[in-house]
Amino acid sequence: MSSRRAVAIGAGVVAAAALLGVVSYTATKPATTTSDAATSVTSGESPVAEVSAEPQAGVYPELAELARRDGADPLAVGRADAPVVLIEYADFKCGYCGKFARDTEPGLMEKYVKKGTLRIEWRNYPLFGEESEAAAHAGWAAGQQGRFWEFHSAAYAEGSKEKGFGDDRLEALAREAGVKDLERFHRDRAGDAAAAAVRKDKEEAFGLGATATPSFLINGRPIAGAQPDETFTRAIESAKAAADAATNAPETGKSGTAGTDGKENR
């Protein structure tokens, strides 16, 4: 991310007060302390992230602009012009990221991505040391052969994190993901392009003040932690309603009159 854009984003979210790092994470921290120290800091009950019935409440338009909407992005799934974009900042060694990938993401894929409502854009945000970095580079490399999401599923399978992400393990995950050219896979994950792509994602997350994984933006609404399914459903439905309202809003100079609901009468 360019320094100019980072400054613009930072200026636009001052009111959010360390957005994903303090406000959102404090309200949505996972319930149980684990070895993933950066992901969970306390034990006890976890309050569910609140999503207001007002579609624009808790939404920061500057953050919505972080959606890349690149139809050629192998680390994204869903229509580039989908009305809702979920950006996920995650680490393959993060236990709660794995929980989201296994328990929540498949339902979102089925209910929203396949129907064209939702696009999911992955951002590598490795926080847990060298193996996190290595896994991030490997995921990117798998994506260069169109197998990122298969690698994602293999890396987040139950018990996968405990096996580590050393070189042999990363090759095994690539094989499991169906990566055809393993020599290219190793070249790509060790190359400058992978390092630059991962660095770009990390800088974006740092610029938001994100201190934990997983962290999410849904059309500019921050959500932190592996929240219950209904939290994401409410946020997506709210974002879709706001997008529909914006699309159907009357435009100056067009025929028709605004009805009581603010939409143009045809």
Side-chain angles (χ1 to χ4, degrees), residues 77-190:
V77 61
R79 287 171 36 186
D81 63 348
V84 183
V85 178
L86 181 156
I87 302 173
E88 177 184 1
Y89 301 90
D91 184 326
F92 284 115
K93 281 182 70 73
C94 162
Y96 284 102
C97 299
K99 178 176 174 58
F100 173 79
R102 293 189 300 272
D103 298 348
T104 300
E105 202 162 37
L108 300 183
M109 293 275 196
E110 188 68 30
K111 186 175 182 179
Y112 296 111
V113 174
K114 287 185 178 181
K115 295 181 180 179
T117 299
L118 179 68
R119 174 177 175 83
I120 298 176
E121 295 186 356
W122 169 275
R123 304 284 193 269
N124 277 301
Y125 193 26
L127 293 175
F128 299 109
E130 291 183 5
E131 285 200 353
S132 288
E133 286 281 348
H137 289 215
W140 184 90
Q144 303 316 292
Q145 297 187 51
R147 308 304 289 178
F148 170 77
W149 290 99
E150 291 78 7
F151 182 94
H152 170 281
S153 296
Y156 278 140
E158 193 72 54
S160 180
K161 177 173 75 79
E162 287 70 24
K163 296 178 182 179
F165 293 108
D167 288 346
D168 290 346
R169 176 64 180 149
L170 291 174
E171 179 171 316
L173 288 171
R175 290 180 184 276
E176 186 176 344
V179 173
K180 299 297 184 184
D181 188 340
L182 292 174
E183 289 187 4
R184 179 190 170 188
F185 168 76
H186 287 302
R187 286 197 309 272
D188 283 346
R189 74 182 184 91

Side-chain angles (χ1 to χ4, degrees), residues 2 203 242 266:
S2 69
E203 288 177 352
R266 301 289 181 181

